[in-house]
Amino acid sequence: MVARDASTERAEVAISVRAEHKHMGVAWELLRHVARFAEASGAKSLESLESRANHEAIELEQEQGFVAIPYEDDPTLVLIRKDLRQG
């Protein structure tokens, strides 16, 4: 899922993959697709809020150019952001 308010240049992504489809590249391709879609719709950045314990998701996002930013409101979470203007 990708959500974007029409008045903003930020988009947010949430991806859920069934257990039997993990480690098959599904999340990787969905994230690439969502990033392209968000950029085409005018978003300048794409964000995801992750549990710090979700190491697999954070690692996958970082492999695709996302950067982890501390989430001030909750130390158990991390904000993952990608600047879509960098490609």
Side-chain angles (χ1 to χ4, degrees):
M1 172 177 68
V2 64
R4 183 178 154 267
D5 184 323
S7 66
T8 186
E9 296 179 339
R10 287 183 354 201
E12 184 174 348
V13 61
I15 294 175
S16 179
V17 177
R18 290 178 56 109
E20 63 267 22
H21 294 119
K22 289 190 176 197
H23 308 289
M24 299 174 79
V26 174
W28 177 270
E29 287 303 322
L30 282 172
L31 187 57
R32 285 176 32 130
H33 174 74
V34 167
R36 287 191 303 264
F37 175 82
E39 184 176 21
S41 72
K44 302 291 187 232
S45 66
L46 184 60
E47 299 177 350
S48 177
L49 194 57
E50 298 286 355
S51 165
R52 287 186 181 273
N54 195 351
H55 300 287
E56 285 186 10
I58 294 169
E59 190 174 305
L60 173 104
E61 290 159 333
Q62 288 177 325
E63 288 173 0
Q64 290 197 26
F66 287 74
V67 176
I69 301 165
Y71 190 69
E72 294 178 17
D73 294 338
D74 187 340
T76 67
L77 300 175
V78 63
L79 180 66
I80 308 293
R81 179 180 291 144
K82 181 175 184 176
D83 183 347
L84 298 175
R85 296 170 291 188
Q86 293 179 356

